[in-house]
């Protein structure tokens, strides 16, 4: 296997989705950069298209796909199932392409344990301390203490991957422009590694 899997992670609200959308637009003309589609059982949101970021499927179909061993990893998050498809990730990697995807922390843990490390480039999006997140969460909507505690536990778990990441992108308040540029550089540098391998 030759290609590179750029795996983006970070606490929910860190802006990893925004960075991924940016990269998707920026590299839309590059056939060598692939954005694999995952499966999820969550409801489709306004503005989303089936088959773009997700295949929206039933729990029944998701379970069938688990039994057929179609997932590289899968996890339950917020009461819904999410899973990366082997076909969407392994085929482009065999073709020496650059694959970019974000997943939540359980997915990162699974992928790190099964994936050849030289082909993986883990990017952690750092949007600040827990106290910053707490402020942001509380300002958005009322939240029960229990849920806040759960969010904090997850934040700690996510944070433990910061030191395992190949790259940390800082995306604190006011840093989005710089974070987008850093993300572009990561993808560009993986593309040029590829060109060098070929020559
Ligand atoms: P959302 O429902 O907001 O699109 O995503 C919720 C969470 O699921 C995000 O943290 C996102 O990174 C994660 N996620 C999206 N696709 C996958 C996947 O294929 N596997 C795993 N484990 N998590 C995913």
């Amino acid at each position: 296997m030759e290609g590179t899997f750029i795996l983006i992670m970070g606490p929910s609200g860190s802006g990893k989705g925004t960075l991924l959308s940016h990269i998707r637009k920026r590299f839309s003309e590059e056939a060598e950069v692939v954005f694999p589609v995952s499966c999820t059982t969550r409801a489709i949101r306004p503005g989303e298209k089936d088959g773009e970021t997700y295949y929206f499927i039933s729990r029944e179909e998701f379970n069938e796909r688990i039994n057929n061993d179609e997932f590289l990893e899968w996890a339950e998050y917020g009461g819904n199932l999410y899973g990366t498809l082997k076909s969407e990730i392994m085929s482009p990697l065999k073709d020496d392409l650059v694959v970019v995807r974000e997943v939540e922390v359980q997915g990162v843990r699974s992928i790190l344990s099964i994936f050849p490390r030289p082909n993986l480039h883990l990017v952690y999006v750092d949007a600040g301390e827990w106290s910053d997140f707490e402020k942001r969460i509380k300002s958005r909507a009322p939240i029960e203490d229990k849920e806040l505690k759960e969010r904090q536990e997850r934040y700690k778990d996510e944070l433990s991957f910061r030191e395992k990441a190949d790259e940390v992108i800082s995306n604190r308040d006011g840093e989005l422009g710089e974070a987008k540029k850093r993300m572009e550089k990561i993808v560009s540098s993986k593309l040029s590694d590829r060109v060098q391998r070929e020559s």
Side-chain angles (χ1 to χ4, degrees):
M1 191 164 66
E2 292 279 5
T4 305
F5 186 6
I6 299 177
L7 185 61
I8 305 173
M9 75 162 302
S12 95
S14 60
K16 57 187 195 293
T18 309
L19 291 176
L20 186 58
S21 306
H22 173 70
I23 287 302
R24 194 191 273 274
K25 273 194 219 117
R26 167 70 181 72
F27 292 93
S28 60
E29 305 284 299
E30 299 266 3
E32 290 80 12
V33 185
V34 174
F35 298 94
V37 184
S38 285
C39 287
T40 184
T41 61
R42 85 150 157 76
I44 189 163
R45 294 181 189 137
E48 285 184 323
K49 281 196 201 118
D50 189 35
E52 202 169 73
T53 306
Y54 295 112
Y55 297 115
F56 295 93
I57 62 174
S58 65
R59 261 190 186 252
E60 197 184 7
E61 186 179 344
F62 201 101
N63 285 327
E64 239 170 69
R65 286 174 178 247
I66 294 175
N67 292 335
N68 292 338
D69 199 23
E70 289 181 42
F71 292 116
L72 184 64
E73 60 71 40
W74 64 271
E76 182 142 16
Y77 178 93
N80 296 303
L81 301 172
Y82 294 83
T84 41
L85 289 162
K86 285 181 186 168
S87 56
E88 293 270 332
I89 291 174
M90 304 316 275
S91 312
L93 287 178
K94 281 195 190 102
D95 293 337
D96 192 12
L97 301 179
V98 176
V99 175
V100 192
R101 177 78 213 179
E102 57 131 342
V103 301
E104 53 67 69
V105 65
Q106 302 164 76
V108 174
R109 183 174 280 116
S110 307
I111 291 169
L112 278 176
S113 71
I114 55 178
F115 212 80
R117 202 62 176 90
N119 297 82
L120 192 64
H121 193 79
L122 183 63
V123 177
Y124 183 93
V125 182
D126 180 350
E129 318 289 324
W130 167 249
S131 56
D132 300 326
F133 277 91
E134 191 178 15
K135 247 186 266 156
R136 243 175 270 150
I137 294 166
K138 282 183 171 166
S139 72
R140 263 191 237 143
I143 182 163
E144 303 252 342
D145 281 354
K146 184 172 167 277
E147 200 193 328
L148 194 64
K149 200 96 209 102
E150 281 166 9
R151 289 271 200 117
Q152 188 173 11
E153 287 308 312
R154 195 162 63 220
Y155 175 86
K156 278 193 214 151
D157 191 17
E158 287 158 340
L159 190 63
S160 70
F161 284 87
R162 193 182 189 283
E163 59 189 35
K164 297 188 183 90
D166 297 290
E167 215 136 351
V168 176
I169 292 189
S170 184
N171 189 24
R172 299 182 184 218
D173 288 343
E175 291 183 333
L176 184 60
E178 197 49 43
K180 284 180 178 172
K181 278 192 212 142
R182 285 279 310 278
M183 200 60 234
E184 280 180 32
K185 271 198 191 139
I186 293 171
V187 179
S188 298
S189 105
K190 293 298 164 194
L191 276 175
S192 50
D193 286 355
R194 182 180 175 275
V195 172
Q196 271 172 14
R197 266 201 305 274
E198 278 185 348
S199 57

